[in-house]
Amino acid sequence: MKTLASTTRKMGMRKSLLHEISYSRLKLIQASLLLFCISILLNLSAMEGFWRWDDPAFLTHITGYAIWQDFFNPAAWQDISPSNFTPWLTLSYKIDLVLFGLQPHLFYLHQIIAIGASAVVLNALLALWLPPVYAISSSLLFIIGTPALLVAQQLMTRHYVEGLFFCLTSFFFFIVHLRHKSRTWQLISSGFYLLATLSKEVFFPLFLILLFFPEKNIRVRSRSIIPHVLIALVYIFWRARMLGSLSGGYSDNSDFFSQIDLIEVLLSFSNFPNLLFSESWIFVTVAYLYLLSIFIYRSPSSLFFLIIILFSIFAPLAPLVKFPGISIADRYLLLPWLVFSASCGVFVYSDLSKLKTYQSSLLRGPAVIAILAIAGSSALSSIQTRRVVGATAEQFDIVGRYIWGQDASTGYLPSKLISSSLWYVTDLGILRQRVNPDQPAPLVIVDPAFLAPEYVNPRITLVEYNEICRCMKPSKIHINTLLEEWRQRERVDAPLTLSHTYQNNIFAWSFGPYEDGTYHIISDTLGITEVPKTGSQRVRLDLNSNFILRYTSPAGWTTHSTIETIVESAEEKVWRRPSL
């Protein structure tokens, strides 16, 4: 009888455990559906977009190269980016192109699904330690944040989105491996880590977090991350071979560390709360520090782990402070924002669960207020920022549809926004030419000095983007008027000097003789770029392509150099007026 009773109790316990597991899975599925639906609803407007920013560059690249070349052929990869090694991004574009053709709304749908999938995996990862309400709340906070809403509008940032998904999935299976001692989960985790690094370099140092995860002991974790470490070592040499540089980035190897000014980096990082929460950043910072201080006080052993996390996510951002700069809460802050969102749920749960009943009741109110303040401020800031970025995106949409659908009977006058990103127009024209070779795209007038010999036909109708109607309208400026105004501003005999070299994708320059005023490099493919008097930058330039140097004085007059040609050479090319 005792044996029967014991067996009955065990069967009852087993049924109870199975019921609990089934119930947990049901709740996880429900949470996943909720997060997917919210992600799609918040970002539906993105599906109205056309090709934006760097999209045409990636589309022309993947239609000109076999996709395997981006993984193994340095020359092919450096044609699209000599600064970063992100081949998964071009593969992702290629997959969409094969599946959907040139239908941008389906590319954006893929983007939105990837954001929702990242939130789902974040929820599943947090649910390994937190009750559902805390895990879901952190995932929702991530979705409504400015970085998540902005990357939904920018296809070119997909490597951050999908890299984040791969990284979170790697973390999830790593923890499953530690708990169940399964080599299969370990290998799956390392495979997703590889995909994360091939998506974007910012995910490379995150294997350090796995080593210090508060799960099992350090000896077990050290053995478990061996595949990840091997992948990291292979990736370092793989990336160096593909970029021809160990450091990569936007500066020369010799300038890499000189580009990192610690004070400048810290000042930039200290501005992140303002970028994420706008006017409410002080209140949010105080609320977050309140939760953090209680967490560290209750769990002092977690401080070292927090430092490892901060180092892993912020160290890759340091070189970006100098160039291109971090001035908006977009893709660069996506990973920090996810860590912030996840930590809010962890802090609140940890702070309240370790308190006695009467203490919990006293601190629950402030904790709830802090979380509501963070969520509310995040939502308001993200709406404001997305509205500003949306206006920029809309101009790309309208100009892009014009370039895609208009013929060569008109001349396009780029706005300041498009002039600084003229490769968008150039690459979109190339893509259009490949799709419709018999229909030339509209002519683009970058600068009268550069293009005057080509645009002397008085019958050309000039068209430009109108910010009032948010549409393309005929310009009030006639081509002859444009040329005459340029001649009045131009001082053809004013002194001007330039020297430049281009080697191993490093363009270095020195201009003069003026200390004040502004210098611009003008190209019929890259547009108009304001540059300092001297400098260097890692950039891919087409050999034998042309550019002109323009100097604009504080008084408003201008002077231009003659047309210069890009050649691969370490020998400095010098031009000066008057010639010596």
Side-chain angles (χ1 to χ4, degrees):
M1 293 295 293
K2 289 183 178 180
T3 303
L4 179 61
S6 176
T7 303
T8 304
R9 283 196 299 270
K10 288 181 180 179
M11 291 179 63
M13 291 175 62
R14 187 174 299 170
K15 288 182 179 179
S16 176
L17 180 60
L18 290 174
H19 174 75
E20 182 179 346
I21 293 174
S22 300
Y23 181 69
S24 298
R25 287 179 177 176
L26 177 61
K27 292 172 71 175
L28 187 61
I29 293 173
Q30 292 173 338
S32 300
L33 291 174
L34 174 66
L35 292 170
F36 261 121
C37 291
I38 292 177
S39 176
I40 291 174
L41 289 175
L42 286 176
N43 297 295
L44 270 178
S45 62
M47 295 182 64
E48 300 174 0
F50 194 64
W51 309 120
R52 299 168 175 171
W53 286 282
D54 295 341
D55 295 342
F58 287 110
L59 290 170
T60 55
H61 178 79
I62 63 175
T63 55
Y65 290 94
I67 197 61
W68 67 266
Q69 292 179 291
D70 284 345
F71 288 84
F72 303 107
N73 186 327
W77 175 255
Q78 291 179 35
D79 183 64
I80 185 64
S81 175
S83 306
N84 303 288
F85 182 48
T86 58
W88 181 267
L89 176 59
T90 54
L91 176 58
S92 188
Y93 269 96
K94 187 71 172 183
I95 291 172
D96 281 1
L97 184 64
V98 171
L99 293 177
F100 311 131
L102 291 170
Q103 300 186 67
H105 67 284
L106 294 178
F107 282 65
Y108 285 106
L109 178 60
H110 178 166
Q111 189 96 339
I112 296 170
I113 290 175
I115 294 171
S118 298
V120 167
V121 180
L122 173 62
N123 175 65
L125 180 62
L126 292 176
L128 295 175
W129 299 280
L130 306 182
V133 64
Y134 295 94
I136 295 174
S137 298
S138 291
S139 302
L140 286 174
L141 181 60
F142 165 70
I143 287 178
I144 66 173
T146 301
L149 292 181
L150 291 191
V151 295
Q153 305 285 331
Q154 300 172 324
L155 294 176
M156 65 177 186
T157 64
R158 183 177 294 172
H159 49 324
Y160 283 87
V161 178
E162 294 188 331
L164 188 63
F165 169 79
F166 295 141
C167 181
L168 291 171
T169 306
S170 175
F171 281 18
F172 177 83
F173 284 116
F174 185 79
I175 300 303
V176 173
H177 155 69
L178 291 179
R179 293 185 179 183
H180 298 279
K181 300 179 181 179
S182 169
R183 186 171 296 275
T184 300
W185 299 128
Q186 180 189 30
L187 295 177
I188 291 176
S189 171
S190 60
F192 276 107
Y193 170 69
L194 173 62
L195 294 178
T197 57
L198 293 176
S199 296
K200 186 60 184 174
E201 294 94 337
V202 296
F203 302 107
F204 167 77
L206 298 186
F207 74 92
L208 295 173
I209 297 177
L210 298 179
L211 180 60
F212 297 98
F213 241 115
E215 193 83 26
K216 299 298 181 180
N217 57 59
I218 186 67
R219 181 177 299 177
V220 173
R221 295 195 301 268
S222 299
R223 290 198 303 265
S224 297
I225 67 166
I226 289 176
H228 301 74
V229 173
L230 293 176
I231 288 173
L233 292 174
V234 170
Y235 172 79
I236 290 174
F237 293 102
W238 188 359
R239 179 177 182 270
R241 177 180 178 274
M242 294 298 291
L243 297 180
S245 163
L246 187 61
S247 66
Y250 298 100
S251 60
D252 191 1
N253 285 344
S254 59
D255 297 332
F256 181 75
F257 290 103
S258 65
Q259 295 288 323
I260 303 177
D261 184 309
L262 182 60
I263 300 300
E264 187 178 7
V265 168
L266 293 177
L267 288 175
S268 177
F269 286 2
S270 67
N271 190 46
F272 287 177
N274 181 41
L275 298 180
L276 290 166
F277 302 105
S278 302
E279 297 86 357
S280 306
W281 72 271
I282 295 179
F283 302 104
V284 173
T285 302
V286 171
Y288 186 75
L289 291 177
Y290 166 77
L291 298 174
L292 175 62
S293 60
I294 297 176
F295 177 78
I296 294 176
Y297 176 76
R298 295 290 178 181
S299 306
S301 59
S302 300
L303 180 59
F304 181 71
F305 181 54
L306 293 177
I307 293 174
I308 293 295
I309 293 176
L310 291 176
F311 172 79
S312 299
I313 64 173
F314 285 110
L317 299 180
L320 302 175
V321 170
K322 177 72 71 174
F323 182 86
I326 305 176
S327 58
I328 190 171
D330 57 1
R331 62 191 184 277
Y332 296 141
L333 298 191
L334 184 65
L335 181 57
W337 173 248
L338 178 130
V339 172
F340 174 88
S341 302
S343 66
C344 285
V346 172
F347 292 168
V348 173
Y349 172 68
S350 177
D351 293 349
L352 296 183
S353 64
K354 292 185 179 182
L355 297 175
K356 296 179 180 179
T357 304
Y358 73 92
Q359 292 175 320
S360 178
S361 61
L362 289 175
L363 292 178
R364 183 176 289 110
V368 171
I369 293 174
I371 288 298
L372 291 177
I374 291 172
S377 300
S378 172
L380 290 176
S381 177
S382 62
I383 291 173
Q384 295 171 0
T385 306
R386 187 165 72 166
R387 187 179 295 119
V388 173
V389 174
T392 301
E394 186 179 29
Q395 184 173 164
F396 276 103
D397 293 341
I398 293 171
V399 171
R401 289 190 174 101
Y402 161 79
I403 296 294
W404 192 257
Q406 185 58 264
D407 58 27
S409 64
T410 60
Y412 168 54
L413 290 174
S415 64
K416 185 177 180 181
L417 169 68
I418 303 298
S419 293
S420 61
S421 309
L422 197 72
W423 59 85
Y424 170 78
V425 173
T426 305
D427 290 321
L428 191 60
I430 295 172
L431 184 64
R432 168 182 162 151
Q433 189 70 17
R434 290 178 181 175
V435 175
N436 299 305
D438 298 328
Q439 299 179 9
L443 305 174
V444 182
I445 301 178
V446 183
D447 184 282
F450 194 86
L451 301 171
E454 187 175 346
Y455 296 98
V456 294
N457 186 351
R459 293 176 295 178
I460 290 180
T461 300
L462 301 183
V463 178
E464 60 186 347
Y465 176 77
N466 187 291
E467 293 187 359
I468 298 176
C469 70
R470 296 180 179 178
C471 63
M472 302 299 294
K473 294 187 68 174
S475 174
K476 296 180 180 179
I477 302 177
H478 191 271
I479 183 66
N480 292 337
T481 305
L482 186 69
L483 294 174
E484 182 59 31
E485 290 179 351
W486 166 70
R487 294 189 187 98
Q488 292 178 2
R489 291 192 306 270
E490 185 72 2
R491 294 190 179 181
V492 295
D493 297 325
L496 190 63
T497 63
L498 74 88
S499 62
H500 64 91
T501 61
Y502 182 63
Q503 188 178 34
N504 298 326
N505 292 314
I506 300 294
F507 181 70
W509 67 87
S510 177
F511 304 145
Y514 309 99
E515 297 296 334
D516 54 1
T518 56
Y519 293 94
H520 290 83
I521 293 177
I522 304 174
S523 164
D524 60 346
T525 56
L526 299 179
I528 302 175
T529 305
E530 182 176 346
V531 293
K533 184 179 179 181
T534 61
S536 65
Q537 184 175 332
R538 189 185 303 277
V539 61
R540 182 193 65 82
L541 299 174
D542 292 330
L543 297 182
N544 299 317
S545 60
N546 299 325
F547 75 92
I548 278 180
L549 171 65
R550 181 179 73 193
Y551 168 74
T552 305
S553 73
W557 57 265
T558 62
T559 189
H560 293 69
S561 70
T562 57
I563 295 178
E564 292 291 300
T565 303
I566 297 295
V567 295
E568 179 86 13
S569 174
E571 183 179 350
E572 188 176 54
K573 291 189 65 177
V574 180
W575 175 92
R576 59 173 53 90
R577 186 177 58 229
S579 58
L580 299 179

